[in-house]
Amino acid sequence: MKKLLLSLLLFPLLCLAQSYDNYTKVTAIRMVHPTREGNMTVKGYVEEGDRIGARIQGAQEEDEALAFALLALKKQAKNWQAKSMPFVPKGYDTRLQVPNMYVVQVNRFRDTIYTTAGNASIYFPEEEMEYIDPGNFINGALTEKLCFLAERNFKDEFITHQNDSLPVSQLLLNGKGIYGYTRKGFEKNVQKFDRVSTDSIFDKKKIVVDKTFWINNYVIKFEGKLQNFTAMVLPGADYPNKAVFTAGGIQLEDSEEKLALAFPCSLEYRNWGASPYNMGDNYYYTVHLMDDKGYVLFYIKNKKVDKIEVEFR
């Protein structure tokens, strides 16, 4: 009987969708670790512009059956047992009021379903009411990927997780190490700069002059010894004297698959730094430098390395 009711609710949604060339996406977002005095709901975190990482995690599916099932359950929920849940905008509570949201997009139509811990109920923020799932229907509708997202103990994993690391000797520009140089030492031992840009930063007490040095599409900044080095893809740029930077054997425009082979632990959490609504692009992975000398960030765009940022300590 429960399955029949769900099927009847799905039928008009399916008929509507079949009149279009379908674009269907379900974005699941889960708050995994709130901050003290932070929002008590995933909705609050996402609205503040939080990105995929230590606070929120997410996954996406392009699955019509999943999308229509979630929409049907939201409609059906008004027949379930209701319970008042006043909205608490700020605070600190490890129980989390409403940690999950599912954003369903079918062509131009878009709706959001909020659920409590374990997907035990559907929450309607405008009513400040939760409707208790009587038969575990929500979890039953989810795909294996989204079930794993809902159950995974991210908070404890993050405590024990270790990213990969590499020695500074594997940071090479045209085969030469870049670590530990002042500006003059860099030009003498590695390569001369193509150009320099200067910015004046004003504060209340003084003017600070910020200098940025360039070698092709590589940006270098110094504060005494080298502080950071950024390599980035600049579409359409052509350089007569090509320079190649590699970090642990990875260079710009290498595939994400090659990066995964080189640093599997760092790539364990996909989409770190991505927008909650577009997890498939513009994210990064972190690789530490040995002996606490800093870190390397590999930014991904279109499944390729689009930027490499090195920050030295």
PDB file of all heavy atoms in Angstrom, residues 195 216-217 232-240 242:
ATOM      1  N   ARG A 195      58.761  39.739 -16.004  1.00  0.00           N
ATOM      2  CA  ARG A 195      58.183  41.056 -15.685  1.00  0.00           C
ATOM      3  C   ARG A 195      57.877  41.103 -14.199  1.00  0.00           C
ATOM      4  O   ARG A 195      57.875  40.084 -13.500  1.00  0.00           O
ATOM      5  CB  ARG A 195      56.916  41.304 -16.513  1.00  0.00           C
ATOM      6  CG  ARG A 195      55.807  40.291 -16.289  1.00  0.00           C
ATOM      7  CD  ARG A 195      54.748  40.413 -17.403  1.00  0.00           C
ATOM      8  NE  ARG A 195      53.590  39.565 -17.166  1.00  0.00           N
ATOM      9  CZ  ARG A 195      53.541  38.273 -17.416  1.00  0.00           C
ATOM     10  NH1 ARG A 195      54.617  37.645 -17.895  1.00  0.00           N
ATOM     11  NH2 ARG A 195      52.435  37.589 -17.202  1.00  0.00           N
ATOM     12  N   ASN A 216      56.504  33.634 -17.373  1.00  0.00           N
ATOM     13  CA  ASN A 216      55.403  33.106 -18.181  1.00  0.00           C
ATOM     14  C   ASN A 216      54.102  33.164 -17.366  1.00  0.00           C
ATOM     15  O   ASN A 216      53.705  34.209 -16.911  1.00  0.00           O
ATOM     16  CB  ASN A 216      55.708  31.682 -18.653  1.00  0.00           C
ATOM     17  CG  ASN A 216      56.881  31.637 -19.624  1.00  0.00           C
ATOM     18  OD1 ASN A 216      57.363  32.659 -20.097  1.00  0.00           O
ATOM     19  ND2 ASN A 216      57.357  30.446 -19.931  1.00  0.00           N
ATOM     20  N   ASN A 217      53.471  32.015 -17.136  1.00  0.00           N
ATOM     21  CA  ASN A 217      52.217  31.973 -16.379  1.00  0.00           C
ATOM     22  C   ASN A 217      52.438  31.545 -14.933  1.00  0.00           C
ATOM     23  O   ASN A 217      51.545  30.989 -14.286  1.00  0.00           O
ATOM     24  CB  ASN A 217      51.218  31.014 -17.040  1.00  0.00           C
ATOM     25  CG  ASN A 217      51.823  29.646 -17.309  1.00  0.00           C
ATOM     26  OD1 ASN A 217      52.987  29.527 -17.658  1.00  0.00           O
ATOM     27  ND2 ASN A 217      51.017  28.601 -17.178  1.00  0.00           N
ATOM     28  N   MET A 232      49.462  28.761 -13.128  1.00  0.00           N
ATOM     29  CA  MET A 232      48.059  28.703 -13.552  1.00  0.00           C
ATOM     30  C   MET A 232      47.939  28.697 -15.065  1.00  0.00           C
ATOM     31  O   MET A 232      48.782  29.238 -15.781  1.00  0.00           O
ATOM     32  CB  MET A 232      47.276  29.870 -12.973  1.00  0.00           C
ATOM     33  CG  MET A 232      47.859  31.230 -13.246  1.00  0.00           C
ATOM     34  SD  MET A 232      47.023  32.504 -12.266  1.00  0.00           S
ATOM     35  CE  MET A 232      48.275  33.775 -12.227  1.00  0.00           C
ATOM     36  N   VAL A 233      46.873  28.047 -15.536  1.00  0.00           N
ATOM     37  CA  VAL A 233      46.588  28.022 -16.961  1.00  0.00           C
ATOM     38  C   VAL A 233      45.999  29.371 -17.358  1.00  0.00           C
ATOM     39  O   VAL A 233      45.038  29.842 -16.754  1.00  0.00           O
ATOM     40  CB  VAL A 233      45.591  26.894 -17.299  1.00  0.00           C
ATOM     41  CG1 VAL A 233      45.160  26.980 -18.754  1.00  0.00           C
ATOM     42  CG2 VAL A 233      46.216  25.527 -17.012  1.00  0.00           C
ATOM     43  N   LEU A 234      46.602  29.999 -18.366  1.00  0.00           N
ATOM     44  CA  LEU A 234      46.087  31.249 -18.909  1.00  0.00           C
ATOM     45  C   LEU A 234      45.732  30.999 -20.370  1.00  0.00           C
ATOM     46  O   LEU A 234      46.610  30.958 -21.233  1.00  0.00           O
ATOM     47  CB  LEU A 234      47.127  32.370 -18.790  1.00  0.00           C
ATOM     48  CG  LEU A 234      47.549  32.745 -17.369  1.00  0.00           C
ATOM     49  CD1 LEU A 234      48.661  33.781 -17.392  1.00  0.00           C
ATOM     50  CD2 LEU A 234      46.359  33.265 -16.573  1.00  0.00           C
ATOM     51  N   PRO A 235      44.449  30.767 -20.670  1.00  0.00           N
ATOM     52  CA  PRO A 235      44.041  30.414 -22.034  1.00  0.00           C
ATOM     53  C   PRO A 235      44.485  31.448 -23.056  1.00  0.00           C
ATOM     54  O   PRO A 235      44.369  32.646 -22.845  1.00  0.00           O
ATOM     55  CB  PRO A 235      42.511  30.356 -21.941  1.00  0.00           C
ATOM     56  CG  PRO A 235      42.236  30.105 -20.499  1.00  0.00           C
ATOM     57  CD  PRO A 235      43.314  30.827 -19.752  1.00  0.00           C
ATOM     58  N   GLY A 236      45.019  30.968 -24.164  1.00  0.00           N
ATOM     59  CA  GLY A 236      45.423  31.842 -25.261  1.00  0.00           C
ATOM     60  C   GLY A 236      46.796  32.446 -25.124  1.00  0.00           C
ATOM     61  O   GLY A 236      47.297  33.085 -26.050  1.00  0.00           O
ATOM     62  N   ALA A 237      47.428  32.272 -23.975  1.00  0.00           N
ATOM     63  CA  ALA A 237      48.758  32.858 -23.770  1.00  0.00           C
ATOM     64  C   ALA A 237      49.817  32.030 -24.486  1.00  0.00           C
ATOM     65  O   ALA A 237      49.760  30.804 -24.521  1.00  0.00           O
ATOM     66  CB  ALA A 237      49.066  32.928 -22.281  1.00  0.00           C
ATOM     67  N   ASP A 238      50.797  32.710 -25.074  1.00  0.00           N
ATOM     68  CA  ASP A 238      51.885  32.037 -25.793  1.00  0.00           C
ATOM     69  C   ASP A 238      53.208  32.658 -25.342  1.00  0.00           C
ATOM     70  O   ASP A 238      53.367  33.880 -25.376  1.00  0.00           O
ATOM     71  CB  ASP A 238      51.693  32.213 -27.306  1.00  0.00           C
ATOM     72  CG  ASP A 238      52.707  31.419 -28.099  1.00  0.00           C
ATOM     73  OD1 ASP A 238      53.235  30.420 -27.572  1.00  0.00           O
ATOM     74  OD2 ASP A 238      52.982  31.798 -29.256  1.00  0.00           O
ATOM     75  N   TYR A 239      54.132  31.820 -24.917  1.00  0.00           N
ATOM     76  CA  TYR A 239      55.397  32.310 -24.371  1.00  0.00           C
ATOM     77  C   TYR A 239      56.555  31.807 -25.234  1.00  0.00           C
ATOM     78  O   TYR A 239      56.661  30.605 -25.521  1.00  0.00           O
ATOM     79  CB  TYR A 239      55.581  31.829 -22.939  1.00  0.00           C
ATOM     80  CG  TYR A 239      54.412  32.195 -22.051  1.00  0.00           C
ATOM     81  CD1 TYR A 239      53.447  31.246 -21.733  1.00  0.00           C
ATOM     82  CD2 TYR A 239      54.267  33.486 -21.557  1.00  0.00           C
ATOM     83  CE1 TYR A 239      52.373  31.579 -20.924  1.00  0.00           C
ATOM     84  CE2 TYR A 239      53.188  33.824 -20.755  1.00  0.00           C
ATOM     85  CZ  TYR A 239      52.244  32.864 -20.445  1.00  0.00           C
ATOM     86  OH  TYR A 239      51.181  33.203 -19.665  1.00  0.00           O
ATOM     87  N   PRO A 240      57.448  32.705 -25.662  1.00  0.00           N
ATOM     88  CA  PRO A 240      58.566  32.291 -26.520  1.00  0.00           C
ATOM     89  C   PRO A 240      59.551  31.369 -25.798  1.00  0.00           C
ATOM     90  O   PRO A 240      60.114  30.464 -26.407  1.00  0.00           O
ATOM     91  CB  PRO A 240      59.223  33.620 -26.910  1.00  0.00           C
ATOM     92  CG  PRO A 240      58.799  34.586 -25.842  1.00  0.00           C
ATOM     93  CD  PRO A 240      57.443  34.161 -25.423  1.00  0.00           C
ATOM     94  N   LYS A 242      59.437  28.809 -23.114  1.00  0.00           N
ATOM     95  CA  LYS A 242      58.528  28.036 -22.282  1.00  0.00           C
ATOM     96  C   LYS A 242      59.220  27.543 -21.020  1.00  0.00           C
ATOM     97  O   LYS A 242      60.346  27.059 -21.064  1.00  0.00           O
ATOM     98  CB  LYS A 242      57.971  26.843 -23.063  1.00  0.00           C
ATOM     99  CG  LYS A 242      56.869  26.084 -22.323  1.00  0.00           C
ATOM    100  CD  LYS A 242      56.244  25.048 -23.223  1.00  0.00           C
ATOM    101  CE  LYS A 242      55.182  24.243 -22.485  1.00  0.00           C
ATOM    102  NZ  LYS A 242      54.074  25.085 -21.999  1.00  0.00           N
TER     103      LYS A 242
END
